Amino acid sequence: MKNEKLPLDPIALSLGPIEIYWYGLIIAAAVLIGLLIAIKESEKRGLNKEIFMDLILLAVPISIVTARIYYVLFEWSYYSKNPEQIIQIWNGGIAIHGALIGALVTTYFFSRAKKVSFWKIVDIAAPSLILSQAIGRWGNFMNKEAFGGNVSRGFLENLMLPDFIINQMYIDGVYHHPTFLYESLWDVTGFLFLLFLRRTHIRHGEMFLSYLIWYSFGRFFIEGMRTDSLMLFDEIRMAQLMSLVLILGSVIIMIIRRKRGYAAYQDS
């Protein structure tokens, strides 16, 4: 078939028995870039940059664990029969919503311990989070994960995609929607939107809540195109359910915070 090539190797480097996967390297790069952006913004806001350095040391490992637990729980029919694979996160299988739960719980208790506003921390972190998610989706690309339904090669070529993406979407003898790319582009757009919001007279807490709404809105529709969704009762896509909960919850929290006077305006 025209321009068809072998898929990309998910292993970036082999050092004897040690194999370093692109998935891990891309996730690490996403975390580092997000951290640098958050530190730069925290200094502008008069927040000690050590706050994010300390937080990341706690939030990242906890988020990885909760993301894996979340994923394994909804794929228990498989992992109950293959328990040795539960810890093999280098093969993929971590859920963003699970990571978000772990990160928020960690940040809440961290902010209380450090006597720093929880909302200030998450507002600063919001653009970093969505950009990190955009980058992290390319780890799924390398592992041939987070793809959508069947399409023709011609469909992908009409999207003006480079051959390395088209070829990587050739899975089990069929081409697939590059839903990882759709979500990555949606997240990059969300990152730019949040940077714009940051320059406006936005209320405390609403940068982070806007991130949740933006990400969840796009994720809801993109998830409907995927073929590897985590399912609840074999009928409900968990990511779509979580997206609806996060959108509704964020809007309700915005309204309550405004009515109770908790959402003062930030300096523009």
Side-chain angles (χ1 to χ4, degrees), residues 154-185:
F155 173 86
L156 297 177
E157 289 175 342
N158 287 337
L159 295 180
M160 307 299 289
L161 299 176
D163 281 345
F164 79 94
I165 293 180
I166 294 176
N167 294 330
Q168 193 73 351
M169 289 296 98
Y170 190 69
I171 302 167
D172 296 330
V174 181
Y175 288 99
H176 292 266
H177 272 290
T179 45
F180 86 92
L181 179 62
Y182 303 159
E183 186 172 327
S184 183
L185 293 175

Side-chain angles (χ1 to χ4, degrees), residues 42 50 78 88 130 149 192 194 197-198 222 232 241:
S42 67
E50 298 299 323
Y78 174 81
Q88 295 178 11
I130 201 165
L192 297 176
L194 292 179
L197 277 186
R198 181 172 277 173
I222 295 169
L232 181 65
L241 177 60

Side-chain angles (χ1 to χ4, degrees), residues 90 131 186:
W90 50 88
L131 181 61
W186 176 258

Side-chain angles (χ1 to χ4, degrees), residues 123-136:
D123 274 349
I124 291 173
S128 296
L129 287 171
I130 201 165
L131 181 61
S132 294
Q133 288 169 224
I135 297 169

Side-chain angles (χ1 to χ4, degrees), residues 42 105 233:
S42 67
V105 171
F233 307 128

Side-chain angles (χ1 to χ4, degrees), residues 195-265:
L195 291 185
F196 167 76
L197 277 186
R198 181 172 277 173
R199 294 176 176 273
T200 66
H201 208 43
I202 192 170
R203 295 171 185 260
H204 287 288
E206 295 190 3
M207 172 74 77
F208 177 71
L209 295 172
S210 296
Y211 148 71
L212 290 180
I213 294 170
W214 179 280
Y215 172 71
S216 299
F217 182 83
R219 179 65 187 270
F220 179 86
F221 290 101
I222 295 169
E223 189 68 23
M225 303 172 67
R226 287 177 56 171
T227 60
D228 61 345
S229 299
L230 298 178
M231 305 297 291
L232 181 65
F233 307 128
D234 297 324
E235 297 178 356
I236 302 171
R237 295 175 189 260
M238 266 310 295
Q240 288 187 316
L241 177 60
M242 287 293 293
S243 295
L244 291 176
V245 169
L246 288 173
I247 291 171
L248 182 60
S250 295
V251 171
I252 291 173
I253 291 171
M254 276 188 184
I255 294 171
I256 291 174
R257 283 175 53 80
R258 287 189 178 194
K259 285 188 173 180
R260 296 185 177 179
Y262 296 153
Y265 284 104

Side-chain angles (χ1 to χ4, degrees), residues 1-265:
M1 191 172 289
K2 185 178 72 170
N3 293 329
E4 189 173 307
K5 299 179 182 178
L6 293 174
L8 300 173
D9 190 346
I11 300 173
L13 183 64
S14 295
L15 301 172
I18 302 174
E19 294 179 334
I20 301 174
Y21 283 72
W22 280 112
Y23 184 86
L25 291 177
I26 291 170
I27 296 299
V31 171
L32 178 59
I33 291 170
L35 174 62
L36 293 175
I37 292 172
I39 287 175
K40 183 176 180 181
E41 180 63 20
S42 67
E43 290 176 332
K44 291 181 181 178
R45 298 280 201 92
L47 193 64
N48 190 328
K49 66 179 181 180
E50 298 299 323
I51 290 290
F52 276 96
M53 293 293 290
D54 293 341
L55 176 59
I56 207 77
L57 293 176
L58 291 171
V60 168
I62 291 174
S63 295
I64 291 173
V65 171
T66 56
R68 185 59 170 176
I69 290 173
Y70 186 101
Y71 185 86
V72 169
L73 285 176
F74 287 102
E75 292 286 354
W76 186 243
S77 59
Y78 174 81
Y79 286 104
S80 62
K81 299 172 184 175
N82 301 275
E84 74 283 356
Q85 295 185 28
I86 290 176
I87 64 171
Q88 295 178 11
I89 62 172
W90 50 88
N91 291 323
I94 59 176
I96 286 177
H97 287 120
L100 187 60
I101 291 169
L104 287 179
V105 171
T106 302
T107 302
Y108 174 77
F109 287 105
F110 177 86
S111 66
R112 287 177 65 89
K114 294 289 186 178
K115 294 181 172 56
V116 178
S117 168
F118 167 82
W119 291 106
K120 186 171 187 177
I121 291 177
V122 294
D123 274 349
I124 291 173
S128 296
L129 287 171
I130 201 165
L131 181 61
S132 294
Q133 288 169 224
I135 297 169
R137 277 304 179 201
W138 288 87
N140 297 128
F141 167 73
M142 293 302 300
N143 273 0
K144 288 192 168 186
E145 301 170 330
F147 53 83
N150 300 349
V151 295
S152 67
R153 183 181 180 95
F155 173 86
L156 297 177
E157 289 175 342
N158 287 337
L159 295 180
M160 307 299 289
L161 299 176
D163 281 345
F164 79 94
I165 293 180
I166 294 176
N167 294 330
Q168 193 73 351
M169 289 296 98
Y170 190 69
I171 302 167
D172 296 330
V174 181
Y175 288 99
H176 292 266
H177 272 290
T179 45
F180 86 92
L181 179 62
Y182 303 159
E183 186 172 327
S184 183
L185 293 175
W186 176 258
D187 290 347
V188 169
T189 306
F191 171 71
L192 297 176
F193 172 68
L194 292 179
L195 291 185
F196 167 76
L197 277 186
R198 181 172 277 173
R199 294 176 176 273
T200 66
H201 208 43
I202 192 170
R203 295 171 185 260
H204 287 288
E206 295 190 3
M207 172 74 77
F208 177 71
L209 295 172
S210 296
Y211 148 71
L212 290 180
I213 294 170
W214 179 280
Y215 172 71
S216 299
F217 182 83
R219 179 65 187 270
F220 179 86
F221 290 101
I222 295 169
E223 189 68 23
M225 303 172 67
R226 287 177 56 171
T227 60
D228 61 345
S229 299
L230 298 178
M231 305 297 291
L232 181 65
F233 307 128
D234 297 324
E235 297 178 356
I236 302 171
R237 295 175 189 260
M238 266 310 295
Q240 288 187 316
L241 177 60
M242 287 293 293
S243 295
L244 291 176
V245 169
L246 288 173
I247 291 171
L248 182 60
S250 295
V251 171
I252 291 173
I253 291 171
M254 276 188 184
I255 294 171
I256 291 174
R257 283 175 53 80
R258 287 189 178 194
K259 285 188 173 180
R260 296 185 177 179
Y262 296 153
Y265 284 104

